[in-house]
Amino acid sequence: NALTRRGRGLLVAFEGCDRSGKSTQCQMLVDYLKSTGRDVAHLCFPDRTTSIGKSINSYLQGTTELEDHAIHLLFSANRWEAVPKIKELIEKGTLVIMDRYAFSGVAFTAAKKGFDVKWCKNPDRGLPSPDVVFYLDISIKDAEMRGQFGEERYEKAEFQQRVADIYKQLRSDDWKVLDAMRDKNDIHMEIRSTLLEMEELCRDAPLKNLWT
Ligand code: Z5A
Ligand code: MG
């Protein structure tokens, strides 16, 4: 089957607003791929385990304050510090599944007053570009029905709506927009079949660079 072929690995990102089901779908996909014997890596951004990630974590939890440009650059740095590992994994044929990526970085900062999308993209320009971005599409109202937003910074309906609007501007041909309100198994099956198609398409193509 195509999922066990040799060649470079695939870079896959999950994006979407809060509670859209990114972590749920990432985990289901990783579990499935592992069950087929596939070499798979599961990354999450922010990666709160690094020293940069620890600063981001305390910012998100409201323990520390950081100037808006400065925190934007830290989120980006937290991706750049993972790039050597991502490239190495892709080269050895690993399927790399990422829970949030640079699109979150742009959407969450550009939703703040005084920021524009162009400025927000700059620090992430040149990162490895995902072969496919699965965007879990949900209205803020439906997301709220999955339980109150949490206590972390940004977890407010009005802000999340601006984030959703910016995500819309970032969509490109590499995105697969999924209706996040369906049964999670149905969503998972659609992701599986898209992944098979993408592996065929990307078989011989090198990894691209983001926004270049
Ligand atoms: N941030 C940033 O500002 N800049 C950056 O560069 C990056 C991030 C990378 C932390 O991220 C914050 O950092 C985030 C963006 C900002 N701030 N906010 N907001 P995070 O990844 O830790 O954010 P999050 O809080 O993890 O999002 P989330 O709440 O985890 O959502 P999710 O992963 O998309 O959803 P889930 O955990 O899979 O599911 C949510 C609930 O819905 C759960 O109870 C599930 O059981 C349920 N669920 C899932 N799927 C379904 C379906 N299909 N039907 C019904 N119910 C479902
Ligand atoms: Mg999550």
Side-chain angles (χ1 to χ4, degrees):
N1 106 21
L3 282 176
T4 55
R5 76 186 168 76
R6 291 216 180 84
R8 80 157 166 95
L10 210 66
L11 188 61
V12 177
F14 281 81
E15 288 283 4
C17 293
D18 234 42
R19 296 181 184 265
S20 56
K22 301 174 297 298
S23 299
T24 302
Q25 291 300 328
C26 277
Q27 196 58 56
M28 287 173 84
L29 184 60
V30 167
D31 291 346
Y32 163 70
L33 291 167
K34 280 185 179 161
S35 78
T36 67
R38 186 68 203 256
D39 197 5
V40 53
H42 185 179
L43 310 185
C44 298
F45 293 107
D47 172 359
R48 303 186 195 219
T49 66
T50 69
S51 63
I52 294 169
K54 284 180 181 131
S55 301
I56 293 171
N57 185 51
S58 66
Y59 170 81
L60 286 171
Q61 295 186 344
T63 319
T64 55
E65 290 304 318
L66 277 164
E67 197 276 336
D68 288 331
H69 299 79
I71 183 64
H72 182 73
L73 297 175
L74 285 183
F75 273 114
S76 178
N78 186 236
R79 286 181 280 278
W80 280 106
E81 67 181 338
V83 168
K85 185 168 95 185
I86 292 173
K87 286 190 168 161
E88 192 187 305
L89 288 164
I90 295 292
E91 260 162 44
K92 72 175 177 109
T94 305
L95 235 151
V96 179
I97 311 295
M98 305 186 292
D99 192 344
R100 293 193 187 273
Y101 197 49
F103 312 97
S104 285
V106 173
F108 279 81
T109 302
K112 294 178 176 177
K113 292 219 166 61
F115 284 87
D116 65 69
V117 167
K118 191 172 171 230
W119 186 90
C120 293
K121 277 179 163 179
N122 270 329
D124 286 306
R125 224 179 271 285
L127 280 174
S129 187
D131 296 297
V132 58
V133 176
F134 289 111
Y135 182 75
L136 289 159
D137 197 19
I138 194 168
S139 72
I140 303 306
K141 238 175 98 193
D142 285 333
E144 274 188 306
M145 304 247 269
R146 289 186 176 172
Q148 283 304 302
F149 287 123
E151 294 298 311
E152 283 197 333
R153 209 182 284 262
Y154 304 145
E155 296 185 330
K156 314 260 180 330
E158 194 193 299
F159 190 79
Q160 292 287 332
Q161 186 56 59
R162 288 209 294 279
V163 169
D165 294 341
I166 294 157
Y167 267 131
K168 254 189 203 138
Q169 298 178 41
L170 297 175
R171 285 182 193 176
S172 70
D173 294 344
D174 304 327
W175 286 41
K176 179 91 183 160
V177 178
L178 304 162
D179 175 0
M181 283 303 282
R182 286 173 303 154
D183 181 87
K184 58 185 170 194
N185 291 304
D186 294 346
I187 301 171
H188 172 65
M189 293 311 290
E190 191 180 346
I191 289 169
R192 264 200 215 179
S193 61
T194 303
L195 211 61
L196 278 167
E197 284 167 30
M198 290 311 299
E199 288 223 303
E200 287 302 313
L201 282 173
C202 299
R203 189 186 290 272
D204 302 312
L207 207 56
K208 287 181 281 184
N209 294 317
L210 191 61
W211 298 324
T212 53

